Amino acid sequence: MEAGEEPLLLAELKPGRPHQFDWKSSCETWSVAFSPDGSWFAWSQGHCIVKLIPWPLEEQFIPKGFEAKSRSSKNDTKGRGSPKEKTLDCGQIVWGLAFSPWPSPPSRKLWARHHPQVPDISCLILATGLNDGQIKIWEVQTGLLLLNLSGHQDVVRDLSFTPSGSLILVSASRDKTLRIWDLNKHGKQIQVLSGHLQWVYCCSISPDCSMLCSAAGEKSVFLWSMRSYTLIRKLEGHQSSVVSCDFSPDSALLVTASYDTNVIMWDPYTGERLRLLHHTQLDPPMDDSDVHISSLRSVCFSPEGLYLATVADDRLLRIWALELKTPIAFAPMTNGLCCTFFPHGGVIATGTRDGHVQFWTAPRVLSSLKHLCRKALRSFLTTYQVLALPIPKKMKEFLTYRTF
C-alpha cells in the first residue's frame, strides 16, 4: 500500500482443528512472529499448537487482486509444496514466540556438539513460552525440540532474543519476573530480574542490545541494562496497565501501549515522554457496558522506523506515521490480540482470539536521506552523545526526534 491508503487483507489463516477441539477455550493466537530474515512465519494457533510456515505464503500471497483471502491449515498438510511446513505440539497453551537471529559460526559449532542429531548448518531457533512456565526451544528447519528451559513458576507471556545473534534469551512471566537464558550454555539461566508487582506482559530488547524494556499489569514501565542486568529507570505516564512495548530500529525511541487507550512514545535514554497517541472510537458504542472499548493490545514499529501499528479492543488495526498525532489508516479486525511487521516491510500480521492470523498490506515508502542518516547515527549514539555534538540546535532536535 502507498502511504495514506487503507490496509488490504492479503490472506487469512485458520486453524482447521479437528472437531473435538472446536471449543473456544484456549484457542487464542497470543503471538505471531516472522523470522528476522523473513523466511518463516510462526503462529500460536491455540490448543498447544504452533505452526511454522515458509514465507511467502504460496498460493494466496498474490500482489494483484488478492483473490484468495482464506486458507485452512487443515488442508495445508495435504497440499502440494507444503512439506516444509511444520506443526509443533508444545503440550501446553503457547503464549510467547520468538525467533533467534542467525547464530554466529561458534554458536553453530556448539549446537552441533551438544545436539549431534541437528545438522551442522545455520541454526534458526524458535522459542515458545508455555502455560506451565516452561520454555521449549525448537530447531526451525527440522522441527526438532532442542531444549526445555525450566525456572518460571507461571505462564511465560513473552520472549525476546538479543538481536546480536549471541543466543541470549529474555523471558517475561506471570510469576512477576524476567529471566535471562544463555542458549550457548545448554540454556543456563544467568539472571532473574525482579521488581514488578504484577504479571509481566511483555519484554523487548533494543536493537543495539543495550536496553531491555518490560511491562507488567502496572502503570509504569521498567527499563533495564542488558549489560549489567540492573534497573536503569521506571517510565511513568500511563493511567492503567501497560501491555505491549517496542523499540524503534535505531533504539532511539520506545513505544508502550496500555489499557488506558494510549500509546506513549519515549526517549529511553532520558526517560522523556515525546508523544501521546490517543485511540478514540470512530463510532459511538452500542451500549456503555465496556468503558475500555479502546484498550490497547499490541504496538510495534515498522522495520524502517517510520510507522507504528496498533491493535485495540475497538476492532481496529491502526497505522500511524511517526510524525503525525492521528492514524493514517485503519482496518477492521475483530478480537485482535497481537501484531507484527514483516521484517522487510509491506505486510503486517495480526493474531486474534479466534485462533486466526490475518496479513495486511502496510505502507511501503522510500525513507528520506535525512531519516536514513538519523537512523544510522542513532544506532550508535545515545541522546546525550547527540546533544554533546558541536552541531546546530535544529539538527540536534531532528536527531533526537524532538521535531514533532
Side-chain angles (χ1 to χ4, degrees):
M1 65 180 276
E2 299 297 321
E5 290 181 9
E6 298 304 305
L8 293 172
L9 184 63
L10 292 171
E12 183 169 6
L13 306 185
K14 300 178 181 180
R17 58 179 69 88
H19 288 297
Q20 65 264 32
F21 293 131
D22 275 349
W23 61 78
K24 286 291 182 185
S25 174
S26 75
C27 68
E28 297 91 347
T29 294
W30 290 109
S31 296
V32 290
F34 288 101
S35 61
D37 67 348
S39 63
W40 288 91
F41 176 75
W43 159 36
S44 63
Q45 66 170 43
H47 301 297
C48 314
I49 299 297
V50 171
K51 278 284 186 183
L52 272 171
I53 302 170
W55 190 268
L57 304 178
E58 287 167 1
E59 295 171 7
Q60 69 287 0
F61 193 74
I62 304 170
K64 294 182 180 178
F66 312 117
E67 291 91 347
K69 292 193 177 181
S70 176
R71 158 177 166 180
S72 169
S73 295
K74 180 169 58 179
N75 300 325
D76 292 346
T77 52
K78 300 175 184 176
R80 58 182 177 80
S82 59
K84 293 180 182 177
E85 186 173 303
K86 311 277 187 311
T87 299
L88 308 179
D89 188 347
C90 296
Q92 290 278 332
I93 297 169
V94 182
W95 291 79
L97 293 174
F99 281 100
S100 69
W102 287 97
S104 58
S107 301
R108 291 202 296 268
K109 289 175 184 174
L110 279 165
W111 276 109
R113 189 188 313 150
H114 297 311
H115 304 280
Q117 77 275 20
V118 180
D120 186 14
I121 57 171
S122 296
C123 188
L124 182 64
I125 299 160
L126 179 72
T128 55
L130 307 183
N131 199 64
D132 62 354
Q134 301 283 313
I135 301 167
K136 290 190 175 181
I137 307 296
W138 308 82
E139 204 280 311
V140 171
Q141 299 292 338
T142 61
L144 287 171
L145 178 63
L146 298 178
L147 287 171
N148 201 2
L149 310 182
S150 301
H152 282 298
Q153 304 301 310
D154 207 335
V155 170
V156 177
R157 185 63 186 85
D158 199 15
L159 296 160
S160 185
F161 277 98
T162 51
S164 62
S166 62
L167 292 181
I168 299 295
L169 175 68
V170 177
S171 56
S173 171
R174 283 186 180 176
D175 67 10
K176 306 175 187 176
T177 69
L178 297 113
R179 292 172 192 251
I180 318 291
W181 314 82
D182 188 346
L183 301 194
N184 276 322
K185 297 179 179 176
H186 310 279
K188 180 184 177 182
Q189 181 179 290
I190 57 177
Q191 195 76 32
V192 179
L193 304 182
S194 303
H196 283 294
L197 303 177
Q198 302 292 334
W199 294 350
V200 189
Y201 284 121
C202 65
C203 58
S204 180
I205 300 173
S206 60
D208 67 1
C209 300
S210 69
M211 295 173 284
L212 165 67
C213 177
S214 62
E218 303 157 354
K219 297 177 185 178
S220 58
V221 179
F222 285 22
L223 206 58
W224 311 81
S225 167
M226 280 298 288
R227 297 185 176 98
S228 62
Y229 300 122
T230 55
L231 185 65
I232 300 171
R233 66 173 51 88
K234 295 181 184 179
L235 302 176
E236 311 276 356
H238 283 290
Q239 303 304 310
S240 188
S241 299
V242 183
V243 293
S244 183
C245 57
D246 196 24
F247 283 94
S248 61
D250 60 4
S251 305
L253 297 172
L254 171 68
V255 287
T256 55
S258 167
Y259 287 158
D260 67 9
T261 74
N262 293 320
V263 166
I264 296 180
M265 193 179 297
W266 311 84
D267 183 321
Y269 295 104
T270 66
E272 289 176 76
R273 193 171 90 170
L274 302 180
R275 166 153 296 180
L276 186 139
L277 305 176
H278 183 61
H279 289 61
T280 53
Q281 287 178 249
L282 292 186
D283 302 309
M286 299 300 290
D287 56 58
D288 57 1
S289 60
D290 189 355
V291 295
H292 295 294
I293 194 94
S294 297
S295 292
L296 271 294
R297 292 288 168 179
S298 186
V299 62
C300 60
F301 264 102
S302 62
E304 80 293 317
L306 288 172
Y307 295 95
L308 295 172
T310 60
V311 170
D313 283 349
D314 60 1
R315 302 181 180 182
L316 288 174
L317 164 69
R318 290 173 174 83
I319 297 175
W320 308 72
L322 193 63
E323 300 192 356
L324 299 176
K325 290 186 177 180
T326 55
I328 61 163
F330 300 85
M333 62 168 301
T334 304
N335 295 329
L337 287 176
C338 54
C339 61
T340 189
F341 277 86
F342 179 60
H344 306 310
V347 176
I348 298 170
T350 57
T352 74
R353 287 192 179 278
D354 309 311
H356 298 190
V357 173
Q358 296 158 333
F359 299 98
W360 308 86
T361 55
R364 281 190 177 276
V365 292
L366 196 60
S367 297
S368 67
L369 186 57
K370 279 200 313 181
H371 177 67
L372 290 173
C373 290
R374 174 171 60 183
K375 188 176 167 187
L377 285 169
R378 292 310 310 272
S379 295
F380 65 90
L381 290 178
T382 70
T383 301
Y384 295 113
Q385 287 172 325
V386 170
L387 295 176
L389 293 174
I391 56 176
K393 182 182 177 183
K394 284 192 175 181
M395 197 174 291
K396 290 180 182 180
E397 289 174 349
F398 176 76
L399 290 175
T400 57
Y401 295 89
R402 272 22 177 221
T403 52
F404 49 76

